[in-house]
Amino acid sequence: QLVYPYDFRLTEKEKTSICYLSFPDSYSGGLGDTQFSFRLRQSGGQRSTPYEDGGEYNREAPLTLQRESAHYFGYVYFRQVKDSSMKRGYFQKSLVLVSRLPYVNLFQSLLQLIAPEYFDKLEPCLEAVCNEIDQWPPPVPGQTLNLPVMGVVIQVRIPSRVDKPGSSPVKQCNQENLLPAPLVLPSIHELDLFRCFQPVLIHIQMLWELMLLGEPIVVMAPSPTVSSEMVLALTSCLAPLRYCCDYRPYFTIHDSDFKEYTTRTQAPPNIVVGVTNPFFIKTLQHWPHILRVGELRMSGDLPKQIKVKKLAKLRTLDTKPGIYTSYKTFLHKDKTLIKRLLKGIQRKRPSEVQSALLRRHLLELTQSFIIPLEHYIASLMPLQRAITPWKNPPQIRPFRQEDFMKTLEHAGPQLTCVLKGDWLGLYRRFFKSPNFDGWYRQRHKDMTQKLEALHLEAICEANIVAWMKDKSEVEIVDLVLKLREKLVRARCQHVPVKEETLQRVSLYIDTIIGSLPEDLQAVLHH
């Protein structure tokens, strides 16, 4: 009906997809307001975003909170109320906020403020809100922002890559006597994990493994709210490791990828997909892992835990909640976690405390798995003394899986994790997953940049005049061109090197050019 700001260009395909994803696609008898989220593949080429910061935000943000370049997130506020003046007897409308940032808490909180006003006052309300949002500062990792909207100030801290994993969010101290007192969001993106995982707490281990290995999973839920929360909870349980596969918190039968996901002629893609339409039970029953959940209800005791069942038991009409899979976990269950959570339920511990316990457990599990990989990959870096100024830096040695496996005997996950099981088998399977590929590429890129920085520093320390003494003009011109190329690359790729180092290299280039005959100087300056 309306896109705001007006000049934001969406393709027709994107508009259609957003429309279908903005409404519950199965019968929902529930009246009132619901909120959920979706993720949508961008169609029709690259588009610039209003905040083109040369990638600075993505370099400083945690990998899990980077701005996406090929997907949009949609945050939905849907209202359904009886209304006799409407043809269908109901008022049904959604307000959707579209962003490239995965700030689910911030944007859903924002919608809670805006949507009820919008349904009441319509377009003028959106115009006023957009004018306020236009004044917001861009998100800078590590900063606490005060964001005024509709007479409220939302206060949030943008996480940074240098935050210690698992540390609790910094307590907001700079209240600056804001009046009215700000609405402080403890986290910009973290869900109430305990609430999301309630029916599957005893299977957390299995779900973590399935996510780590990038297995295809369908979440079948009674509503888009449950489906999107469960999918986002699953994708967040590998932090600080980035989940590199595709995920769709809410997916409908009208989606352009529907054919690809439901075809039986090829294996399902590496994706977690959340659905609510019962029709999917029939069309997706060839997928290897199906998680069927009911409504999430917070109650005073441990909710009924769903069972692991054989895929053959998946009934088309009345599918009971359960994890339908034949997957056998590599690691044994962690009984102590379940006991601690149970104790928390008996003592009526607040949900956020239980969530923190759960998040800490998953973080420690992921770190135990990743630390041996980090140690091994660090050993592939050339020694610093092998980096000399006038030679190209040595190569990073190749990652050999068998060599890595040998390191596990004395430096494996058993040093930091009490869980027993087939860790070697888990690593072998991980090597075949997109998550390993994504992790390795990122690490390789970081190390290549580090080498480049060390090389530039070595050049700065060198005695350039002594080197030039016995060199021909051709060699000297060649050095100038190489150094120039290095400088350009260092600036373009934002190599982590001090600005003064780059300026010194620049000065070197001028010194070298100055020592050459005038005709060559003119060519090089040109």
Side-chain angles (χ1 to χ4, degrees):
Q1 230 178 13
L2 174 74
V3 175
Y4 224 97
Y6 297 124
D7 55 0
F8 186 69
R9 293 275 164 264
L10 288 164
T11 63
E12 283 310 310
K13 187 176 173 186
E14 286 165 347
K15 276 186 191 162
T16 309
S17 296
I18 289 172
C19 287
Y20 279 125
L21 287 164
S22 301
F23 287 94
D25 74 338
S26 54
Y27 169 73
S28 79
L31 292 176
D33 297 355
T34 46
Q35 287 180 263
F36 56 93
S37 43
F38 61 79
R39 183 168 171 268
L40 170 77
R41 193 179 300 162
Q42 179 181 304
S43 68
Q46 284 289 328
R47 260 159 290 175
S48 66
T49 54
Y51 291 122
E52 281 301 337
D53 62 355
E56 194 171 333
Y57 169 81
N58 275 4
R59 282 192 300 282
E60 294 176 11
L63 293 174
T64 49
L65 287 182
Q66 288 186 332
R67 182 181 279 127
E68 296 237 4
S69 58
H71 290 84
Y72 291 121
F73 293 96
Y75 303 97
V76 184
Y77 191 106
F78 168 68
R79 172 168 287 184
Q80 174 168 291
V81 286
K82 280 195 167 132
D83 184 343
S84 52
S85 67
M86 298 280 183
K87 204 157 84 182
R88 303 171 74 173
Y90 285 99
F91 169 92
Q92 290 173 309
K93 206 169 211 178
S94 282
L95 182 64
V96 185
L97 189 149
V98 178
S99 170
R100 293 183 185 278
L101 293 163
Y103 295 169
V104 58
N105 288 353
L106 172 63
F107 293 138
Q108 292 292 16
S109 303
L110 185 59
L111 282 173
Q112 282 169 13
L113 295 170
I114 304 169
E117 281 288 303
Y118 165 67
F119 293 138
D120 194 25
K121 304 198 173 89
L122 302 177
E123 202 174 333
C125 156
L126 281 194
E127 190 169 357
V129 162
C130 286
N131 286 337
E132 287 190 285
I133 294 175
D134 276 344
Q135 307 302 313
W136 287 5
V140 176
Q143 285 193 2
T144 295
L145 305 181
N146 291 315
L147 310 173
V149 63
M150 288 175 54
V152 178
V153 175
I154 302 176
Q155 192 176 81
V156 286
R157 181 180 180 276
I158 309 292
S160 153
R161 196 172 292 193
V162 294
D163 294 346
K164 199 165 153 272
S167 60
S168 59
V170 184
K171 288 278 174 282
Q172 327 278 352
C173 50
N174 53 343
Q175 300 286 342
E176 298 158 26
N177 302 329
L178 290 170
L179 287 169
L183 167 65
V184 179
L185 298 184
S187 161
I188 206 162
H189 67 290
E190 286 179 349
L191 296 165
D192 184 342
L193 270 198
F194 180 65
R195 195 173 66 85
C196 297
F197 284 147
Q198 274 216 77
V200 291
L201 289 172
I202 60 171
H203 306 299
I204 280 294
Q205 190 71 41
M206 175 191 271
L207 293 170
W208 176 83
E209 284 187 25
L210 291 174
M211 295 305 292
L212 180 73
L213 302 174
E215 286 286 310
I217 302 176
V218 185
V219 172
M220 291 184 176
S223 70
T225 309
V226 177
S227 126
S228 58
E229 285 194 347
M230 183 60 95
V231 171
L232 291 177
L234 287 168
T235 56
S236 75
C237 72
L238 295 182
L241 186 65
R242 184 185 189 161
Y243 177 71
C244 296
C245 308
D246 199 1
Y247 61 99
R248 307 291 294 273
Y250 173 51
F251 184 79
T252 74
I253 53 177
H254 306 284
D255 203 285
S256 52
D257 293 328
F258 179 74
K259 277 199 179 66
E260 183 200 336
Y261 296 171
T262 51
T263 175
R264 301 192 174 223
T265 52
Q266 64 202 56
N270 299 89
I271 177 172
V272 181
V273 57
V275 301
T276 62
N277 192 325
F279 180 66
F280 279 111
I281 296 175
K282 198 162 143 199
T283 53
L284 295 178
Q285 62 195 152
H286 60 295
W287 279 47
H289 318 287
I290 294 173
L291 169 57
R292 172 85 163 144
V293 286
E295 280 295 349
L296 295 179
R297 288 193 182 85
M298 284 298 267
S299 56
D301 44 16
L302 184 68
K304 193 165 172 227
Q305 295 295 291
I306 66 180
K307 296 188 167 68
V308 175
K309 305 179 180 187
K310 295 199 167 48
L311 276 159
K313 292 238 174 93
L314 196 64
R315 294 277 168 270
T316 316
L317 286 169
D318 175 32
T319 300
K320 301 259 186 300
I323 302 180
Y324 293 83
T325 180
S326 55
Y327 179 80
K328 296 276 176 281
T329 56
F330 286 92
L331 307 178
H332 306 320
K333 263 188 196 145
D334 185 355
K335 300 218 170 75
T336 52
L337 172 76
I338 304 299
K339 282 179 187 154
R340 287 175 74 188
L341 290 171
L342 265 171
K343 195 179 274 180
I345 292 172
Q346 287 154 2
R347 293 184 177 168
K348 300 198 167 28
R349 246 189 236 137
S351 187
E352 54 269 26
V353 179
Q354 297 279 69
S355 281
L357 261 177
L358 199 47
R359 195 169 274 113
R360 171 134 224 108
H361 168 78
L362 290 165
L363 171 74
E364 285 169 2
L365 193 52
T366 302
Q367 284 180 325
S368 296
F369 184 81
I370 286 296
I371 286 169
L373 284 162
E374 298 281 5
H375 280 321
Y376 173 70
I377 203 165
S379 74
L380 304 177
M381 187 80 165
L383 294 170
Q384 202 152 344
R385 63 168 180 268
I387 300 167
T388 55
W390 318 121
K391 275 194 197 133
N392 279 333
Q395 295 286 303
I396 297 165
R397 291 194 299 284
F399 189 106
R400 295 209 164 86
Q401 293 179 12
E402 287 314 311
D403 290 353
F404 165 70
M405 292 303 214
K406 284 177 196 149
T407 67
L408 292 176
E409 278 172 44
H410 52 271
Q414 70 278 5
L415 296 182
T416 51
C417 187
V418 294
L419 285 193
K420 300 280 182 280
D422 180 10
W423 286 96
L424 294 178
L426 189 60
Y427 281 113
R428 282 190 208 285
R429 187 92 170 255
F430 176 68
F431 289 141
K432 298 188 182 108
S433 84
N435 289 329
F436 170 69
D437 189 55
W439 171 82
Y440 177 72
R441 278 165 196 256
Q442 180 67 42
R443 279 290 167 269
H444 199 273
K445 185 178 150 194
D446 295 345
M447 286 161 72
T448 308
Q449 291 204 335
K450 177 88 175 116
L451 266 181
E452 193 65 21
L454 289 170
H455 194 214
L456 282 164
E457 278 159 21
I459 290 167
C460 275
E461 300 301 314
N463 183 340
I464 207 138
V465 182
W467 179 84
M468 280 162 54
K469 272 203 180 107
D470 55 347
K471 300 293 182 286
S472 66
E473 278 177 4
V474 175
E475 287 174 293
I476 291 174
V477 169
D478 185 51
L479 176 69
V480 168
L481 296 176
K482 275 189 177 147
L483 287 178
R484 266 194 187 156
E485 192 194 339
K486 271 185 116 50
L487 263 187
V488 170
R489 201 167 53 226
R491 290 200 190 282
C492 287
Q493 296 177 357
H494 303 278
V495 168
V497 68
K498 292 190 192 98
E499 182 57 36
E500 60 192 275
T501 305
L502 297 178
Q503 283 169 357
R504 277 176 71 182
V505 173
S506 192
L507 206 63
Y508 269 13
I509 295 173
D510 294 342
T511 311
I512 302 169
I513 294 175
S515 72
L516 292 165
E518 278 178 13
D519 56 339
L520 272 178
Q521 281 192 35
V523 171
L524 286 169
H525 278 309
H526 181 66

